[in-house]
């Protein structure tokens, strides 16, 4: 494995992935609720992993990380297995639009794990705005975005991620299964897709946006049961009144400031809440 240098992503606090809804720039607004002392919890669990920015921030000793997106989980599994080879493959992919569509058209089933990981990283880094969207056949169908964000990451970043994942269990499954496995002493951080807007609901091909209000009700009920088992949790969610009504007996506060779409750009009232059930708040 390549030697790590101080410029690796974790130290620079750069996410490996471009992730719509990623919490990298918001985590400072709820980090006082997170178990930053590794001994304070049994297992750290994230059922909606995405770009994993909160997991990397907490850096727990023991973690269960899950997401319903198979490509995403394969990406992490591949990087953990051999970050050098994934980087090597990633570096060799083409640097133009035609090449992007060629790589996008590859059939995942014909690729081995490390190739799948490199391809997903490449598509994420060069597609339009880092979106994840699939057609009805489950094929990634986001258009070309350019090469500007491709070399923001380097081989050290992949090695840093691989190192952080060494003791994590990575699962591809629905959140219900992940939450049901939590026991007393476990800590959950949850960042579900927010209530989809009308536009997303109209587009049946927006696979990972298909998280409807029934899913939110299911999530609230899973969390209620987990709370009864002695699980602590923190969730970021939309401030939509229908969502808040599901958690009206829990503690919550509004994120009144957040970083906008460009680094350094502050947005007031990003429309997000932090909802939580933790035993002790150390501030
Ligand atoms: C808002 S993103 C998480 C972003 C992450 N916190 C970050 O900072 O990058 C939500 C994630 O939930 C996943 N997801 C959607 N539906 C799911 C389900 N039913 N079970 C588990 N994960 C799901 C999506 O694939 C997506 O990665």
């Amino acid at each position: 494995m390549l030697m790590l240098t101080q410029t690796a992503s974790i130290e620079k606090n750069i996410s490996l992935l471009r992730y719509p809804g990623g919490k990298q720039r918001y985590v400072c607004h709820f980090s006082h609720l997170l178990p930053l002392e590794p001994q304070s919890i049994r297992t750290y669990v994230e059922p909606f992993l995405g770009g994993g920015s909160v997991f990397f921030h907490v850096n727990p000793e023991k973690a269960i990380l899950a997401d319903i997106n198979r490509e995403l989980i394969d990406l992490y599994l591949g990087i953990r297995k051999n970050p050098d080879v994934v980087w090597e493959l990633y570096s060799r992919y083409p640097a133009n639009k035609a090449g992007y569509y060629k790589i996008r058209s590859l059939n995942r089933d014909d690729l081995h794990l490390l190739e799948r990981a490199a391809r997903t990283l490449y598509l994420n880094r060069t597609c339009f705005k880092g979106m994840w969207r699939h057609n009805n056949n489950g094929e990634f169908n986001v258009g070309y975005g350019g090469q500007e964000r491709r070399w923001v990451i380097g081989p050290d970043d992949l090695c840093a991620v691989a190192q952080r994942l060494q003791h994590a269990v990575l699962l591809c499954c629905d959140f219900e299964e992940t939450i049901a496995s939590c026991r007393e002493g476990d800590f959950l951080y949850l960042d579900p897709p927010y209530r989809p807007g009308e536009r997303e609901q109209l587009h049946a091909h927006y696979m990972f946006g298909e998280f409807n209000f029934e899913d939110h009700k299911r999530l609230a009920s899973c969390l209620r049961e987990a709370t009864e088992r002695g699980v602590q949790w923190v969730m970021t969610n939309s401030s939509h009144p229908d969502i808040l009504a599901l958690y009206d007996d829990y503690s919550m506060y509004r994120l009144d400031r957040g970083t906008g779409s460009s680094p350094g750009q502050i947005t007031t009232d990003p429309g997000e809440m932090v909802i939580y059930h933790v035993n002790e708040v150390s501030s």
Side-chain angles (χ1 to χ4, degrees), residues 6-283:
Q6 285 189 331
T7 57
S9 66
I10 310 306
E11 284 75 9
K12 282 193 294 181
N13 200 21
I14 289 175
S15 285
L16 182 71
L17 297 173
R18 301 160 69 200
Y19 220 87
K23 290 297 169 293
Q24 187 193 7
R25 289 172 292 174
Y26 292 86
V27 66
C28 57
H29 297 297
F30 55 87
S31 59
H32 62 286
L33 296 170
L34 299 172
L36 299 174
E37 299 294 329
Q39 320 85 296
S40 62
I41 55 161
R42 203 175 76 108
T43 308
Y44 173 89
V45 186
E46 266 202 52
F48 303 96
L49 181 61
S53 48
V54 177
F55 160 72
F56 291 122
H57 180 85
V58 172
N59 191 22
E61 279 177 357
K62 202 172 156 215
I64 295 175
L65 308 173
D67 199 286
I68 206 163
N69 183 344
R70 178 80 259 170
E71 288 177 18
L72 182 77
I73 295 300
D74 278 354
L75 165 70
Y76 290 124
L77 287 171
I79 290 176
R80 178 168 73 180
K81 188 169 181 193
N82 198 329
D84 300 343
V85 171
V86 173
W87 178 259
E88 181 83 24
L89 294 165
Y90 174 84
S91 311
R92 280 199 242 130
Y93 283 139
N96 54 48
K97 191 173 177 176
Y100 169 88
Y101 286 108
K102 201 167 161 202
I103 300 301
R104 196 185 80 168
S105 70
L106 294 175
N107 185 344
R108 274 183 287 153
D109 298 340
D110 297 337
L111 307 176
H112 61 62
L113 178 68
L114 303 184
E115 289 170 333
R116 293 201 296 277
R119 173 179 172 271
T120 300
L121 186 60
Y122 169 80
L123 294 178
N124 174 265
R125 287 259 142 217
T126 57
C127 74
F128 183 68
K129 291 195 172 177
M131 287 166 67
W132 293 87
R133 195 185 56 207
H134 297 72
N135 62 22
N136 289 334
N137 298 326
E139 294 155 351
F140 187 82
N141 71 350
V142 180
Y144 183 61
Q147 297 290 313
E148 293 79 18
R149 295 178 197 280
R150 180 159 171 200
W151 304 111
V152 170
I153 55 164
D156 286 359
D157 297 300
L158 271 65
C159 288
V161 167
Q163 220 170 52
R164 291 286 176 101
L165 292 173
Q166 284 313 310
H167 303 292
V169 174
L170 283 158
L171 302 171
C172 177
C173 62
D174 178 71
F175 66 85
E176 197 165 338
E177 207 177 306
T178 314
I179 299 175
S181 73
C182 292
R183 296 285 166 268
E184 183 169 7
D186 290 343
F187 181 95
L188 276 163
Y189 169 67
L190 309 111
D191 187 23
Y194 294 169
R195 189 189 166 102
E198 254 174 61
R199 196 154 160 261
E200 285 80 5
Q201 285 178 342
L202 284 172
H203 288 276
H205 62 266
Y206 191 75
M207 189 169 151
F208 298 110
E210 276 178 15
F211 197 89
N212 57 34
F213 193 60
E214 286 307 309
D215 291 313
H216 276 289
K217 288 204 278 192
R218 199 159 59 89
L219 175 59
S221 140
C222 291
L223 281 178
R224 220 159 271 286
E225 286 169 21
T227 304
E228 279 166 22
R229 294 196 300 274
V231 176
Q232 299 183 71
W233 54 268
V234 169
M235 173 168 60
T236 35
N237 208 329
S238 155
S239 61
H240 191 287
D242 292 351
I243 301 276
L244 299 189
L246 298 173
Y247 299 98
D248 58 0
D249 49 345
Y250 288 105
S251 305
M252 59 176 81
Y253 62 91
R254 206 176 178 92
L255 280 179
D256 57 355
R257 271 154 59 100
T259 316
S261 50
S262 311
Q265 191 185 335
I266 302 296
T267 314
T268 50
D269 194 7
E272 290 181 69
M273 301 296 287
V274 177
I275 308 170
Y276 61 96
H277 168 74
V278 295
N279 294 341
E280 259 174 48
V281 180
S282 58
S283 54

